[in-house]
Amino acid sequence: GGSFAVGSMPPPLEEPAGNRLFPELAQRAFELERALLPGRAPSSTIAVNKRAQFLPHVDSGAGAGQGISLIVGLGDYSGGELVVEGTAHDIRYKPLEFNGWTQRHWTQPFEGERFSLVWFTPVGCEDKPGLTVCAMDSE
């Protein structure tokens, strides 16, 4: 398993290496956010997780404070529900918005190949939509 980010990071952090390593993935993942929830304000950042099973936590770190995250599960797997404040949500090809900074959340055990994409905007990145940043990077 593992995770990496694409999009924007708040100062003084540098741009995620994922922008350079996976420019087409970054572009398509930000386009997917628009397709899933066209009315949602564009996020600046995406966490890309492969076979990651997170223990109960609230999000933290640089730029902490964004409001609503959007998550979707992808892949051929069973189980792996996202539990938010004690309620399990099947996110496999079913997007879910939640507040990762204030709501305790974790991943249920799963079998198979599970990916998740988590769109969010850290404080300090409100004027750096990821689709714009990644589009400029790929030119």
Side-chain angles (χ1 to χ4, degrees), residues 69-73 82 91 94-98 116-119:
S69 297
L70 173 66
I71 187 170
V72 68
L82 178 72
I91 61 164
K94 297 174 187 170
L96 175 72
E97 288 186 303
F98 72 103
S116 64
L117 300 176
V118 185
W119 291 267

Side-chain angles (χ1 to χ4, degrees), residues 5-11 13-16 19 30 43-46 62 120-134 136-137:
V6 296
S8 305
M9 295 302 273
L13 299 177
E14 293 185 16
E15 180 178 292
N19 293 1
F30 281 110
S43 296
S44 69
T45 312
I46 305 171
F120 61 101
T121 301
V123 168
C125 290
E126 298 85 355
D127 62 345
K128 301 177 186 177
L131 188 56
T132 303
V133 169
C134 290
M136 290 186 298
D137 288 346

Side-chain angles (χ1 to χ4, degrees), residues 1 14 18 22 26-27 38 43 45 52 54 60 62 64 66 68 74 91 93 99-100 105 112 115 124 130:
E14 293 185 16
F22 310 108
Q27 181 79 23
S43 296
T45 312
F54 294 100
S60 62
Q66 182 229 320
I68 303 300
L74 306 169
I91 61 164
Y93 299 101
N99 190 326
H105 56 285
F115 293 84

Side-chain angles (χ1 to χ4, degrees), residues 100-120:
W101 301 100
T102 62
Q103 295 180 299
R104 207 166 104 115
H105 56 285
W106 63 94
T107 313
Q108 295 281 58
F110 60 89
E111 291 185 16
E113 192 81 290
R114 181 185 187 273
F115 293 84
S116 64
L117 300 176
V118 185
W119 291 267
F120 61 101

